[in-house]
Amino acid sequence: DVKVTQSSRYLVKRTGEKVFLECVQDMDHENMFWYRQDPGLGLRLIYFSYDVKMKEKGDIPEGYSVSREKKERFSLILESASTNQTSMYLCASSLYTGTSRAYEQYFGPGTRLTVT
Amino acid sequence: GENVEQHPSTLSVQEGDSAVIKCTYSDSASNYFPWYKQELGKRPQLIIDIRSNVGEKKDQRIAVTLNKTAKHFSLHITETQPEDSAVYFCAAVNGDSNYQLIWGAGTKLIIKP
């Protein structure tokens, strides 16, 4: 069973603080993703990584950065948190082999971040 | 950029009736179309998917149909039950990246007793 874990379920931070959200997967997946989920807007991709130290911007990267130093760990960093970054953050991972269901993304439980 | 449109945003059906959610996509190179279900307070999970060489796929009460010419695909749930209440997301694989999914905005399905 694939397990994707996130460092916190709930987080409250103040405006201007540096925030780290961490995601760990235990299935040796190459691909990892950070999404932001807001009501009515679905899942919006912030950043993704297809290998260690490799990263690509998604649809809404502004205000965020990422780090992937180890294959199993993908961190999302808010350099200076702002109130408009209050949201649910979901991490996901996937294995790419070209075979059936290789695109399936496995999600973590989410981190609900509130910035005050 | 490429996008996926999903309709309706909210769907309310009587228990036992059928529910249909529709998505259209823009990327001609997309060849994989999954559906995810997210129950309240839980993570999204894959419930069914279809590849472009297949027109229809069924798994018990759920089925997905794909029309590549028209670039749309649909999720069908028959004999709906209370546990089907959730938010459903459709997606299409980004033809350029082969691992990035482009997501629809989601449909909240409400099953009325």
Side-chain angles (χ1 to χ4, degrees):
Chain A
D1 240 12
V2 177
K3 188 177 280 186
V4 182
T5 58
Q6 294 182 227
S7 48
S8 306
R9 288 302 304 272
Y10 300 94
L11 210 51
V12 179
K13 295 292 182 180
R14 294 201 179 272
T15 302
E17 277 193 84
K18 191 169 186 175
V19 181
F20 293 87
L21 302 182
E22 202 162 71
C23 175
V24 178
Q25 51 94 3
D26 67 357
M27 284 302 291
D28 205 33
H29 284 176
E30 285 84 6
N31 307 318
M32 296 188 76
F33 308 83
W34 274 106
Y35 292 97
R36 173 175 171 159
Q37 184 174 23
D38 299 290
L41 297 178
L43 299 168
R44 292 184 292 167
L45 183 65
I46 305 171
Y47 267 97
F48 65 100
S49 169
Y50 52 91
D51 202 350
V52 175
K53 296 192 186 293
M54 306 303 290
K55 60 186 179 185
E56 285 196 30
K57 293 179 180 179
D59 301 316
I60 53 165
E62 296 77 20
Y64 304 94
S65 62
V66 290
S67 172
R68 192 162 180 205
E69 296 296 318
K70 292 185 178 182
K71 191 174 186 180
E72 67 272 17
R73 196 176 298 264
F74 192 34
S75 301
L76 179 69
I77 304 150
L78 287 67
E79 294 290 341
S80 178
S82 64
T83 55
N84 63 12
Q85 292 178 310
T86 291
S87 187
M88 171 67 82
Y89 290 87
L90 287 165
C91 173
S93 71
S94 73
L95 174 70
Y96 178 63
T97 67
T99 58
S100 180
R101 298 188 69 149
Y103 303 118
E104 180 175 358
Q105 292 190 12
Y106 296 84
F107 285 85
T111 296
R112 184 162 294 283
L113 173 66
T114 303
V115 183
T116 61
Chain B
E2 306 296 351
N3 73 310
V4 173
E5 292 188 5
Q6 182 172 349
H7 299 281
S9 56
T10 304
L11 178 60
S12 185
V13 301
Q14 206 70 39
E15 182 178 347
D17 287 351
S18 295
V20 181
I21 303 169
K22 299 182 180 182
C23 290
T24 58
Y25 63 97
S26 59
D27 186 354
S28 302
S30 288
N31 61 1
Y32 173 76
F33 309 90
W35 287 88
Y36 283 71
K37 175 183 181 182
Q38 186 178 27
E39 297 177 21
L40 189 63
K42 296 192 175 179
R43 69 193 78 188
Q45 289 192 298
L46 178 72
I47 55 171
I48 194 166
D49 54 17
I50 191 167
R51 291 183 176 261
S52 58
N53 57 351
V54 175
E56 184 174 356
K57 185 176 177 182
K58 195 172 182 182
D59 183 3
Q60 298 183 338
R61 295 187 299 107
I62 61 172
V64 58
T65 58
L66 171 66
N67 182 327
K68 278 220 82 176
T69 304
K71 292 185 188 171
H72 65 71
F73 56 111
S74 300
L75 178 71
H76 305 253
I77 306 174
T78 58
E79 300 172 12
T80 52
Q81 299 170 5
E83 55 263 36
D84 295 328
S85 292
V87 177
Y88 291 81
F89 293 98
C90 65
V93 75
N94 181 329
D96 289 336
S97 80
N98 279 326
Y99 43 79
Q100 182 187 351
L101 295 176
I102 303 168
W103 297 85
T107 296
K108 184 176 183 179
L109 177 62
I110 301 165
I111 308 300
K112 297 181 290 185

